[in-house]
Amino acid sequence: PSGIARDLEPLMNILAEHRVPIMFLTAWTQFGTAIWHGMPLFIDALAESYPEVPIIITKMGRGYDFLFEMCLLIAYKYEHVYLDTVQSKPEHVARAVSELGADRVIFGTDWEQTWTAVKTPDDLYTRSLAIVEDSGISEEDKNWVLGATAAKLYGI
């Protein structure tokens, strides 16, 4: 984790200067990288060193409970860390909203679902929205997750 964080310092310095958000994915990827690349531990060091850079932990663990716990812990420690809903579980969305607040959870989709769509008739937006809909969060919280959080974060 410390090596990854160190390697990212030049980029983080530029982002800090401009206060621009960055996203880091969690869990595995089909691009053949090592599993440990998807462990969000390095984000802890970056968030500590760069409080002016909003960090979005995307996939908040991709539905894996142990990775979700890491993501949630890091976001809990740092107010400038957000979680997105991509390939998450409804119960993870509900817990993130409950523990962090809906203004720290961002809706997202992922192209990955397009290559599985050949096997299922659901489109990626329907499947991604279902994660939020099935979470049981309030309508006000859904408004935050589905747009208000991103609007606040990106100043739109």
Side-chain angles (χ1 to χ4, degrees):
S2 61
I4 295 171
R6 184 184 59 249
D7 289 347
L8 289 168
E9 285 178 3
L11 172 63
M12 295 301 290
N13 288 330
I14 293 168
L15 296 173
E17 182 181 336
H18 299 283
R19 300 184 180 274
V20 176
I22 188 166
M23 297 176 76
F24 295 107
L25 70 88
T26 53
W28 60 274
T29 174
Q30 62 273 15
F31 295 118
T33 61
I35 289 287
W36 58 268
H37 290 161
M39 303 287 278
L41 296 175
F42 69 94
I43 298 171
D44 183 44
L46 292 175
E48 176 86 23
S49 298
Y50 297 94
E52 59 283 317
V53 177
I55 298 172
I56 302 163
I57 301 178
T58 193
K59 299 184 181 184
M60 72 170 90
R62 202 175 198 165
Y64 297 102
D65 293 335
F66 79 99
L67 286 174
F68 169 71
E69 294 295 335
M70 280 190 241
C71 296
L72 186 63
L73 176 62
I74 294 165
Y76 189 78
K77 282 179 65 179
Y78 305 102
E79 290 185 8
H80 63 288
V81 175
Y82 299 77
L83 302 179
D84 86 10
T85 64
V86 173
Q87 296 180 7
S88 186
K89 291 180 179 177
E91 56 267 27
H92 289 172
V93 172
R95 188 157 164 225
V97 166
S98 173
E99 294 189 24
L100 301 173
D103 64 334
R104 303 263 307 284
V105 180
I106 299 173
F107 174 75
T109 62
D110 189 10
W111 74 274
E112 180 274 338
Q113 293 172 330
T114 61
W115 56 265
T116 60
V118 173
K119 300 173 192 165
T120 66
D122 297 335
D123 73 296
L124 68 109
Y125 301 109
T126 301
R127 292 165 56 183
S128 297
L129 284 167
I131 294 168
V132 177
E133 289 296 330
D134 295 345
S135 71
I137 61 175
S138 71
E139 288 301 314
E140 181 180 347
D141 287 343
K142 282 181 196 173
N143 288 334
W144 276 98
V145 172
L146 295 175
T149 302
K152 181 185 92 172
L153 179 62
Y154 292 105
I156 53 175

